[in-house]
């Protein structure tokens, strides 16, 4: 009987400890937050994708993924995403991003033809979650953990910088074990 009670107590202690560890690890993460403000003139231009979470619309991309941003006359942002497929073909997608906050760090992006962009639920979130002061590396995601990209002005970044951006993503609750590094 004494052994049974000890086993039950050990099980309870283990269960409580596991629960506390789970609560503690979740307490360390927080919902993704866009930076307060970006300088759009510094942000526009060409970015290389360093890594991304798997997603449907990039299923054909195998390497050389880039994003080119510009400012349109109506203050929307032009988007040209390009990549190389496994067969070596370069493909691209043209879209437009609409600023959703005064700091231009939260955008809604659509890749639909211009005449269909009015449709509800056809724009994806594009939040700049972190950007270095020199606008050389950026972490982009959204209000949930569905999409994530690490972008750089250079085709490669050093491991310390990469790990630092991974840590930021982890703190926002992203499962960085699923990130795919992009060959450039």
């Amino acid at each position: 009987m004494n052994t049974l009670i000890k086993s039950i107590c050990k099980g309870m202690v283990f269960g409580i400890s596991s629960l506390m560890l789970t609560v503690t690890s979740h307490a360390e993460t927080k919902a993704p937050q866009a930076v307060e403000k970006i300088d759009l003139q510094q942000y526009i231009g060409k970015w290389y994708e360093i890594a991304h979470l798997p997603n449907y619309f990039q299923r054909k991309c195998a390497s050389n993924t880039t994003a080119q941003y510009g400012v349109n006359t109506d203050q929307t942002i032009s988007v040209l995403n390009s990549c190389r497929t496994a067969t070596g073909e370069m493909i691209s997608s043209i879209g437009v991003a609409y600023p959703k906050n005064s700091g231009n760090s939260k955008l809604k992006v659509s890749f639909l033809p211009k005449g269909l962009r009015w449709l509800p639920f056809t724009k994806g979130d594009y939040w700049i979650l972190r950007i270095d002061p020199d606008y050389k590396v950026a972490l982009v995601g959204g209000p949930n953990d569905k999409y994530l990209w690490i972008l750089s002005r250079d085709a490669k970044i050093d491991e310390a910088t990469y790990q630092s951006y991974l840590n930021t993503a982890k703190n926002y609750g992203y499962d960085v074990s699923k990130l795919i590094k992009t060959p450039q």
Side-chain angles (χ1 to χ4, degrees):
M1 187 71 161
N2 199 13
T3 306
L4 177 62
I5 292 172
K6 284 182 181 179
S7 291
I8 291 171
C9 287
K10 283 182 183 178
M12 287 175 59
V13 167
F14 177 75
I16 291 170
S17 297
S18 295
L19 179 62
M20 289 175 61
L21 185 59
T22 301
V23 168
T24 302
S25 66
H26 285 296
E28 293 173 6
T29 64
K30 60 182 180 177
Q33 297 289 318
V35 297
E36 185 177 327
K37 181 180 180 179
I38 63 158
D39 180 337
L40 201 50
Q41 292 305 313
Q42 286 190 73
Y43 194 79
I44 60 172
K46 186 174 184 175
W47 291 87
Y48 293 89
E49 181 184 274
I50 302 302
H52 71 279
L53 284 178
N55 59 65
Y56 178 77
F57 48 86
Q58 284 187 270
R59 68 193 177 285
K60 294 181 182 178
C61 294
S63 65
N64 302 96
T65 304
T66 62
Q68 180 78 35
Y69 303 108
V71 178
N72 297 320
T73 56
D74 63 356
Q75 297 308 300
T76 59
I77 299 159
S78 64
V79 181
L80 174 63
N81 290 341
S82 302
C83 70
R84 187 172 305 283
T85 67
T87 62
E89 175 188 8
M90 285 300 292
I91 58 174
S92 61
S93 184
I94 298 171
V96 65
Y98 305 88
K100 291 298 174 186
N101 69 341
S102 61
N104 294 315
S105 60
K106 291 183 179 181
L107 307 167
K108 286 283 192 179
V109 182
S110 175
F111 290 93
L112 289 177
K114 190 174 185 174
L116 297 176
R117 290 181 185 152
W118 61 271
L119 290 170
F121 311 111
T122 61
K123 296 176 188 74
D125 290 301
Y126 182 104
W127 288 12
I128 301 163
L129 305 173
R130 179 178 172 192
I131 190 157
D132 78 305
D134 296 324
Y135 285 70
K136 298 287 185 193
V137 181
L139 182 69
V140 177
N144 56 45
D145 62 356
K146 190 173 180 180
Y147 301 110
L148 183 71
W149 295 270
I150 297 176
L151 305 175
S152 174
R153 294 295 189 175
D154 297 314
K156 298 187 184 311
I157 61 175
D158 64 80
E159 189 61 25
T161 301
Y162 182 73
Q163 290 300 321
S164 176
Y165 277 75
L166 283 185
N167 287 335
T168 300
K170 281 183 206 175
N171 290 338
Y172 282 142
Y174 288 94
D175 183 355
V176 298
S177 71
K178 294 181 181 177
L179 271 177
I180 299 168
K181 282 193 171 183
T182 308
Q184 290 289 351

